[in-house]
């Protein structure tokens, strides 16, 4: 049975690519931009592999026209990017910086002129350093500042951007930023991490309300969660309990308040040794549980966990690098194991079934809310071949299998309306610096030249035809 016949997507499906400001823009001191926590962090010796920083990144700030033209040539019809908070509101408070807003206006207009639908993420981890100096996400004040920032950006672009995303992967902001410390600001305090999670939730809720007050009817507001797929190593009750605790800390801590207006009871219980949750004030849960027009899911790999009693820690596979500090407050004892199967260069097991499970789960958690895969992709050690091309059959296989999983979920009734490949182009991969390449487009870091990999051509063909080409079609 020819695959290309059966794997056809809905006609209005969004075939996009995703990026984030700090990972691609560079130009960190131009037009009034001030440092974010990622500037500070990347300039702190020992934090980033190779001492890399986002100072230049892939210079998208100056090359955005070419980058948009490239997306259009490939055939993409959607692009997810993030706005750098310190570029448009340098101190994290007060009036907007016009030059910063102008950059995003030019970018959005360029996208629209090429028939590419913009999806704007307000916060992809680059908190203005000034707000971190005032306490950062563990402090309630930061959520109030975020709502103001959301309103400012909403007012500026509500007339031309239809799709809005408040936060990208708040799990990383809270638990890698303040728990394991492998992300900015690099703090390692379990209580601060749980407080940060709540204030990110509050920022989301207040941000949605602020956006609603300024965006035209028909705008779509959502959030992108890296809700993980957590599997127990066995059906032993101790392993099931361990999986429950990690699932609460990965997913429930965000989707509980956002979708159901409450933190899971099991989460409150399992974190009692860290906090009594007295930072959750009256009315917060109501403020957080705003109706959403879309839910973004970012997916890379599942987690496999056990109780330390049934099976001690295997090779660390919990995504927090080699930090001795845990990103799982109150559940530091849970053991993580390597999921069987081939892995990408991140060491992340390739498991498209996990994406299917994730979609089906959120179809149930958020019935009637359209879903978008706002990130999915793979890092491989790509090289330019003698023929001047970059051949990445592994990435094509990864995309094919994951898009097939999306298709299967759609066939089973899930309302998935779009897919954004992570990432449009190679970029600053956070703590890994430029050593990991997630792009469909290769970036030569010596010249900053862009070379579409074979996966970019393959994905472009899928976008143009609305169906998955065979993996050897390029
Ligand atoms: C996501 N983990 O990051 C981000 O949204 C992107 O900016 C990033 O480039 C991409 O995925 C690839 O890493 C993550 O440790 C970083 O579990 C770390 C984890 C998960 C996602």
């Amino acid at each position: 049975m020819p695959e290309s016949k059966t794997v056809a997507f809905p006609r209005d499906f969004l075939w996009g690519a995703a990026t984030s400001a700090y990972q691609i823009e560079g130009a960190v001191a131009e037009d009034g931009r001030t440092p974010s926590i990622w500037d500070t962090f990347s300039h702190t010796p020992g934090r980033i592999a190779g001492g890399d920083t986002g100072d230049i990144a892939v210079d998208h700030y100056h090359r955005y026209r070419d980058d948009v033209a490239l997306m259009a040539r490939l055939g993409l019809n959607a692009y997810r990017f993030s706005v750098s908070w310190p570029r448009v509101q340098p101190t994290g408070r007060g009036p907007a910086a016009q030059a910063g807003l102008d950059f995003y206006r030019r970018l959005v207009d360029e996208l629209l002129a090429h028939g590419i639908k913009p999806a704007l993420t307000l916060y992809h981890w680059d908190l203005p350093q000034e707000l971190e100096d005032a306490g950062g996400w563990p402090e309630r004040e930061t959520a109030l500042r975020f709502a103001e920032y959301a309103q400012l950006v909403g007012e500026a672009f509500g007339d031309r951007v239809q799709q809005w995303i408040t936060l990208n992967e708040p799990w990383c902001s809270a638990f890698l930023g303040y728990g394991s410390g492998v992300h900015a600001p690099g703090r390692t305090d379990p209580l601060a991490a749980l407080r940060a999670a709540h204030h990110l939730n509050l920022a989301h809720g207040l941000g949605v309300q602020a956006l609603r007050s300024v965006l035209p009817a028909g705008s779509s507001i959502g959030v992108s969660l890296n809700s993980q797929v957590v599997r127990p190593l066995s059906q032993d009750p101790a392993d099931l309990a361990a999986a429950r605790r990690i699932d609460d800390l990965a997913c429930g801590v965000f989707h509980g308040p956002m979708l159901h207006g409450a933190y899971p009871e099991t989460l409150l219980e399992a974190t009692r040794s860290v906090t009594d949750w007295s930072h959750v004030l009256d009315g917060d849960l109501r403020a957080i549980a705003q109706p959403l027009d879309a839910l973004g899911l970012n997916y890379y790999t599942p987690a496999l966990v056990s109780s330390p009693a049934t099976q001690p820690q295997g090779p660390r596979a919990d995504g927090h690098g080699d930090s001795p500090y845990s990103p799982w407050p109150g559940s530091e004892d849970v053991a993580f194991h390597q999921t069987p199967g081939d892995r990408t260069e991140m060491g992340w097991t390739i498991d498209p079934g996990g994406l299917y499970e994730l979609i089906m789960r959120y179809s149930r958690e958020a019935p009637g809310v359209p879903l978008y895969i706002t990130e999915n992709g793979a890092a491989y050690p790509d090289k330019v071949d003698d023929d001047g091309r970059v051949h990445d059959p592994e990435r094509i296989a990864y995309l094919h299998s994951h898009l097939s999983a999306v298709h299967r979920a759609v066939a089973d009734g899930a309302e998935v309306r779009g897919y954004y490949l992570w990432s449009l182009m190679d970029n600053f991969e956070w703590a890994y610096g430029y050593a990991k390449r997630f792009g469909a487009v290769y970036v030569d870091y010596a010249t900053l030249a862009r070379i579409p990999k074979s996966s970019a051509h393959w994905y472009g063909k899928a976008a143009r035809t609305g169906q998955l080409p065979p993996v050897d079609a390029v």
Side-chain angles (χ1 to χ4, degrees):
M1 188 173 57
E3 223 158 20
S4 56
K5 282 244 164 57
T6 55
V7 187
F9 284 72
R11 271 180 57 89
D12 50 1
F13 194 77
L14 294 182
W15 298 87
T19 62
S20 87
Y22 189 69
Q23 295 180 274
I24 64 165
E25 287 180 0
V28 291
E30 272 178 57
D31 295 332
R33 182 188 179 281
T34 59
S36 78
I37 54 175
W38 271 97
D39 294 278
T40 309
F41 192 69
S42 69
H43 280 272
T44 306
R47 291 304 202 168
I48 312 292
D52 292 343
T53 74
D55 288 0
I56 298 172
V58 300
D59 196 34
H60 173 74
Y61 193 71
H62 300 115
R63 296 168 194 244
Y64 71 93
R65 266 200 191 87
D66 294 342
D67 291 336
V68 172
L70 177 54
M71 279 188 258
R73 269 204 306 285
L74 291 171
L76 309 193
N77 64 6
Y79 176 55
R80 172 175 181 251
F81 66 97
S82 80
V83 169
S84 159
W85 187 346
R87 205 184 274 297
V88 305
Q89 197 187 33
T91 61
R93 299 181 168 81
Q98 198 51 48
L101 286 180
D102 286 345
F103 167 68
Y104 295 105
R105 187 170 296 112
R106 291 195 302 272
L107 170 64
V108 168
D109 287 350
E110 198 71 14
L111 291 165
L112 295 173
H114 284 84
I116 299 172
K117 188 169 185 170
L120 185 159
T121 302
L122 283 166
Y123 186 73
H124 200 125
W125 309 353
D126 44 359
L127 186 72
Q129 181 62 43
E130 243 179 79
L131 294 186
E132 175 59 27
D133 294 343
W137 286 113
E139 294 308 318
R140 185 177 186 84
E141 175 71 11
T142 305
L144 310 183
R145 297 285 67 79
F146 177 81
E148 235 175 68
Y149 159 67
Q151 174 154 345
L152 177 155
V153 181
E155 277 165 354
F157 304 123
D159 61 345
R160 59 198 82 193
V161 172
Q162 200 240 332
Q163 291 205 293
W164 293 77
I165 296 162
T166 54
L167 307 177
N168 176 71
E169 300 196 1
W171 183 83
C172 292
S173 299
F175 297 107
L176 300 183
Y178 297 90
S180 68
V182 302
H183 280 188
R187 288 167 60 182
T188 52
D189 172 353
L191 173 59
L194 288 171
R195 289 175 58 101
H198 178 66
H199 296 131
L200 283 153
N201 281 327
L202 186 61
H204 162 79
L206 298 176
V208 172
Q209 295 179 47
L211 288 174
R212 289 258 183 254
S213 73
V214 296
L215 296 183
S219 304
S220 163
I221 306 176
V223 61
S224 286
L225 302 177
N226 55 323
S227 285
Q228 302 186 27
V229 173
V230 183
R231 299 183 180 142
L233 189 64
S234 80
Q235 294 303 306
D236 185 301
D239 289 350
L240 294 174
R244 159 94 272 141
R245 284 157 68 193
I246 295 305
D247 186 72
D248 281 345
L249 280 166
C251 309
V253 66
F254 300 107
H255 81 231
M258 288 182 188
L259 301 177
H260 311 309
Y263 284 103
E265 275 306 321
T266 42
L267 170 73
L268 300 180
E269 233 164 81
T271 51
R272 279 289 170 224
S273 63
V274 184
T275 178
D276 60 3
W277 293 83
S278 54
H279 53 279
V280 180
L281 304 189
D282 274 357
D284 281 5
L285 291 168
R286 217 168 325 114
I288 296 167
Q290 297 297 312
L292 297 179
D293 309 304
L295 185 62
L297 303 173
N298 296 358
Y299 174 80
Y300 292 93
T301 191
L304 185 62
V305 306
S306 74
S307 150
T310 59
Q311 185 76 48
Q313 182 74 55
R316 282 280 276 276
D318 52 359
H320 66 271
D322 48 15
S323 167
Y325 300 95
S326 170
W328 307 107
S331 289
E332 294 85 355
D333 59 313
V334 171
F336 282 73
H337 306 275
Q338 191 72 61
T339 319
D342 292 342
R343 288 180 250 156
T344 69
E345 205 201 355
M346 298 298 282
W348 297 349
T349 302
I350 302 167
D351 193 326
L355 178 55
Y356 174 84
E357 284 170 46
L358 184 69
I359 295 169
M360 298 318 279
R361 178 195 188 170
Y362 279 92
S363 298
R364 291 189 299 272
E365 299 277 2
V369 179
L371 304 177
Y372 293 84
I373 307 309
T374 39
E375 283 181 25
N376 176 238
Y380 285 107
D382 305 300
K383 295 226 161 25
V384 183
D385 275 359
D386 293 340
D387 61 3
R389 295 167 185 261
V390 181
H391 298 279
D392 59 343
E394 308 91 340
R395 187 174 287 101
I396 294 177
Y398 185 99
L399 295 174
H400 186 282
S401 62
H402 287 75
L403 279 158
S404 300
V406 173
H407 187 268
R408 181 155 71 93
V410 171
D412 289 349
E415 217 186 308
V416 185
R417 300 227 181 131
Y419 175 94
Y420 297 85
L421 181 164
W422 185 270
S423 173
L424 172 65
M425 52 193 163
D426 295 337
N427 59 46
F428 177 78
E429 177 50 34
W430 306 116
Y432 297 90
Y434 298 100
K436 300 285 187 259
R437 294 178 176 274
F438 272 92
V441 174
Y442 182 89
V443 176
D444 175 344
Y445 287 114
T447 63
L448 295 176
R450 277 71 160 144
I451 306 171
K453 304 175 190 177
S454 42
S455 60
H457 296 295
W458 181 89
Y459 185 64
K461 190 166 182 191
R464 293 191 304 274
T465 60
Q467 29 189 294
L468 301 185
V471 289
D472 55 2
V474 281

